[in-house]
Amino acid sequence: DGGITQSPKYLFRKEGQNVTLSCEQNLNHDAMYWYRQDPGQGLRLIYYSQIVNDFQKGDIAEGYSVSREKKESFPLTVTSAQKNPTAFYLCASSIASTSGELFFGEGSRLTVL
Amino acid sequence: RKEVEQDPGPFNVPEGATVAFNCTYSNSASQSFFWYRQDCRKEPKLLMSVYSSGNEDGRFTAQLNRASQYISLLIRDSKLSDSATYLCVVKDNAGNMLTFGGGTRLMVKP
């Protein structure tokens, strides 16, 4: 079955530790995205990638880093510089950046203690 | 002012009721509009695109009002399974980026 897989689903970390969230897709989509969702708020774009080996900052990129070395993979690192890292992180892909239809993974819920 | 605004709700309605949500957007250059559905603690999924002429998909009808810069979603004959958060999404063709509203929570009760 084609889809997007995020891991881990739940993650607890101590303050000051870097964390990497995995996102893999087998939909052959060019564009991939990372969003953050906080309670009562809409999704906010962290980073996006329109094609392999290229990525751009979204609205709230500070304290995060990404890589896009393979078309299928777009991992997100939450660094210790991110002031409020506890959130629900959603990875998505679309066939192209011009498409309005995003396919989301099931999300990773990060709690920093 | 937020770029995409929605009433967070919750809207509590009985089964069988008709319910409507509005969403306003601030960027007049916005070109494409969508409704996504998000179940509790799950990922969002595309419900329907919103076309200029309005469109219907079963019990769901979406409308666009460019002059007043809002889109609406009407759900007829509500089912218990319609309980979810409905996210309004707007795309600016210049940047190709999607902007999400905060969502409107719907609870359909027996």
Side-chain angles (χ1 to χ4, degrees):
Chain A
D1 281 335
I4 300 184
T5 302
Q6 286 187 242
S7 63
K9 264 187 122 166
Y10 299 94
L11 187 59
F12 295 86
R13 277 293 181 268
K14 289 183 182 176
E15 240 181 77
Q17 289 182 327
N18 288 0
V19 165
T20 296
L21 307 179
S22 167
C23 178
E24 304 278 329
Q25 55 102 354
N26 60 4
L27 299 166
N28 200 33
H29 284 171
D30 281 323
M32 296 187 75
Y33 311 81
W34 273 105
Y35 288 90
R36 170 184 171 136
Q37 187 174 35
D38 294 284
Q41 294 198 36
L43 278 65
R44 292 184 289 166
L45 183 63
I46 304 173
Y47 267 99
Y48 65 100
S49 169
Q50 295 178 305
I51 199 162
V52 68
N53 289 324
D54 181 65
F55 51 82
Q56 308 293 332
K57 290 182 180 180
D59 299 319
I60 55 164
E62 188 176 343
Y64 299 98
S65 66
V66 293
S67 63
R68 186 89 187 273
E69 295 173 6
K70 297 188 298 182
K71 188 175 186 178
E72 304 78 28
S73 178
F74 191 41
L76 173 76
T77 297
V78 184
T79 75
S80 56
Q82 167 47 233
K83 297 200 187 321
N84 293 300
T86 295
F88 186 44
Y89 290 90
L90 287 157
C91 179
S93 71
S94 64
I95 193 158
S97 61
T98 51
S99 170
E101 183 171 13
L102 299 184
F103 294 82
F104 286 87
E106 293 186 334
S108 293
R109 203 166 290 275
L110 171 64
T111 303
V112 174
L113 306 169
Chain B
R1 185 184 167 190
K2 289 184 184 175
E3 287 189 55
V4 181
E5 288 205 66
Q6 296 183 250
D7 180 343
F11 284 57
N12 294 297
V13 303
E15 260 187 299
T18 294
V19 62
F21 314 131
N22 278 349
C23 162
T24 58
Y25 60 94
S26 60
N27 185 354
S28 58
S30 300
Q31 292 295 323
S32 305
F33 309 88
F34 310 89
W35 284 102
Y36 276 70
R37 172 193 167 127
Q38 186 174 23
D39 291 311
C40 189
R41 301 179 77 83
K42 298 282 192 183
E43 74 277 20
K45 293 183 181 175
L46 179 67
L47 177 66
M48 57 197 304
S49 302
V50 186
Y51 304 124
S52 296
S53 53
N55 48 305
E56 192 173 306
D57 182 2
R59 297 181 293 108
F60 298 82
T61 301
Q63 299 274 359
L64 167 64
N65 185 319
R66 283 193 188 273
S68 301
Q69 293 184 205
Y70 76 83
I71 68 173
S72 63
L73 178 68
L74 180 82
I75 305 175
R76 286 181 299 278
D77 188 22
S78 300
K79 311 288 184 196
L80 295 176
S81 56
D82 293 335
S83 297
T85 296
Y86 291 85
L87 303 171
C88 170
V89 183
V90 173
K91 184 153 105 62
D92 165 14
N93 279 7
N96 286 323
M97 286 299 107
L98 299 179
T99 302
F100 286 76
T104 296
R105 190 164 167 220
L106 171 66
M107 297 178 68
V108 181
K109 309 246 165 129

